[in-house]
Amino acid sequence: MLLNKKIAVTGSSGFVGNYLVKKLAELGADIIYLDSKIGIDITDWQQVQNTEEFDILLHLAAKSYVPNSYKYPREFYYTNIIGTLNALELCRIYKAKMVYTSSYVYGNPKYLPIDEKHPIISFNPYAESKIIGEHLCKGYNRDFGIPVIILRPFNIYGMGQNDKFLIPSIIKQAKSGKILLKDPAPKRDMVFINDLVEAYIKSIKYNQTSFEIFNIGSGVSYSVKGIAEMIASNIGEKIEIEFTGEKRQNEILNTVADISKARNKLGWGPTISFTDGIELCISGNQN
């Protein structure tokens, strides 16, 4: 139980944050909400420096839609780096544990599946901002003894996700009778939102005083074409699927997570298959 823990959550009203705080509340945690939607800007130290004392900070607040990181790089760097710096500084003041939400930071993989020892390769402004955040976490652990867990989720999906992202976009299009996508080839390791939330819960409970990094994924990848066909099949109507062939800048062709470290140390593993997750997303989008 988390009854004896006071847990601060940045980005608590975001896609992941919303699921996470509901789960924390179910487990009896005392939650401190740090979110711009309630008027708390994690990038503004004047606003957050008087945050009440806590035991653990879960840092989710970030700009995350990769195409926008090319359009608005300064906003991405400022939000994702200064927000992380302020979160770490609060942890330093209160001698609290930090769980940092990173991302896929491996670039074009040199081998599959990808473990946490794979070289870090920056390949877009968003990934770069997350890598800098990881370096800040490592520095605060080294210099001030802040316990840090870094979670590196691969591709997250689930009910309620913004329809700019791949799976909700495909579902929305499928309901109109036609799916139009760019490149059918890229393959992604997908992790369902409920499984990701459980990784945070395991990270909170993990008794550690050092610095740890965990991949959070499924260990299986699916192509854009395969995902579109699966969604079309699940909806059960005749749906046209078309691809323009356009390639994204610095596209990665395949990602597969090695999650053995998370299994062995956190006791975490995915419980929801991709097929079941897609069905849940479709029913959630249709309700």
Side-chain angles (χ1 to χ4, degrees):
M1 293 296 289
L2 305 177
L3 289 171
N4 61 340
K5 298 290 185 185
K6 183 167 283 192
I7 301 173
V9 183
T10 73
S12 54
S13 71
F15 171 54
V16 177
N18 186 49
Y19 278 88
L20 181 55
V21 295
K22 285 180 181 175
K23 184 66 174 180
L24 291 172
E26 288 174 13
L27 295 173
D30 187 356
I31 305 167
I32 299 171
Y33 299 85
L34 300 174
D35 192 279
S36 60
K37 288 190 177 177
I38 57 172
I40 301 173
D41 181 357
I42 189 64
T43 68
D44 186 344
W45 180 245
Q46 297 303 311
Q47 285 189 37
V48 299
Q49 63 179 331
N50 295 318
T51 300
E52 61 181 293
E53 189 168 356
F54 52 80
D55 302 297
I56 299 169
L57 187 146
L58 309 179
H59 184 42
L60 283 72
K63 292 188 176 294
S64 61
Y65 184 56
V66 172
N68 280 350
S69 74
Y70 286 102
K71 294 179 182 177
Y72 314 109
R74 185 182 183 281
E75 289 182 20
F76 270 71
Y77 283 117
Y78 185 83
T79 300
N80 295 357
I81 295 168
I82 300 303
T84 301
L85 179 61
N86 287 347
L88 285 163
E89 184 64 6
L90 287 173
C91 290
R92 182 188 69 83
I93 291 168
Y94 294 136
K95 297 180 171 58
K97 175 178 173 176
M98 170 90 146
V99 180
Y100 173 68
T101 309
S102 187
S103 183
Y104 179 87
V105 291
Y106 301 111
N108 199 3
K110 298 181 181 300
Y111 55 83
L112 295 173
I114 304 161
D115 59 20
E116 292 84 355
K117 295 179 181 178
H118 188 286
I120 300 302
I121 303 167
S122 179
F123 59 103
N124 60 53
Y126 168 66
E128 181 71 41
S129 73
K130 286 297 184 180
I131 291 168
I132 293 169
E134 288 196 11
H135 286 309
L136 287 171
C137 288
K138 194 163 190 176
Y140 265 73
N141 169 260
R142 179 194 64 225
D143 299 331
F144 308 111
I146 303 303
V148 175
I149 289 180
I150 290 175
L151 298 183
R152 290 176 177 164
F154 278 50
N155 283 66
I156 307 163
Y157 74 105
M159 299 79 69
Q161 188 175 29
N162 190 303
D163 61 20
K164 293 186 298 186
F165 290 87
L166 179 66
I167 287 176
S169 170
I170 295 174
I171 292 172
K172 183 179 180 180
Q173 291 186 64
K175 289 165 66 177
S176 75
K178 179 177 179 179
I179 299 170
L180 177 62
L181 300 167
K182 294 179 182 178
D183 187 353
K187 299 177 72 176
R188 293 292 180 265
D189 186 318
M190 312 297 296
V191 58
F192 192 65
I193 183 65
N194 296 35
D195 283 330
L196 175 60
V197 165
E198 188 58 28
Y200 283 98
I201 303 304
K202 296 283 190 183
S203 297
I204 290 167
K205 296 177 178 180
Y206 184 63
N207 185 19
Q208 143 262 7
T209 58
S210 58
F211 180 85
E212 295 280 8
I213 299 172
F214 296 104
N215 284 339
I216 304 298
S218 67
V220 182
S221 65
Y222 296 85
S223 70
V224 172
K225 182 174 185 286
I227 293 169
E229 290 173 346
M230 183 184 295
I231 290 170
S233 174
N234 269 275
I235 289 178
E237 300 173 3
K238 186 172 177 58
I239 297 166
E240 182 183 351
I241 304 174
E242 185 179 329
F243 298 94
T244 67
E246 181 184 345
K247 310 291 185 183
R248 287 202 313 180
Q249 187 173 349
N250 296 328
E251 183 64 273
I252 307 299
L253 289 180
N254 197 6
T255 66
V256 180
D258 182 336
I259 54 174
S260 56
K261 185 180 178 185
R263 287 190 187 278
N264 295 334
K265 287 199 166 187
L266 286 182
W268 176 89
T271 62
I272 299 169
S273 72
F274 189 56
T275 302
D276 288 345
I278 288 294
E279 289 178 357
L280 287 166
C281 287
I282 290 170
S283 62
N285 276 273
Q286 289 177 336
N287 291 337

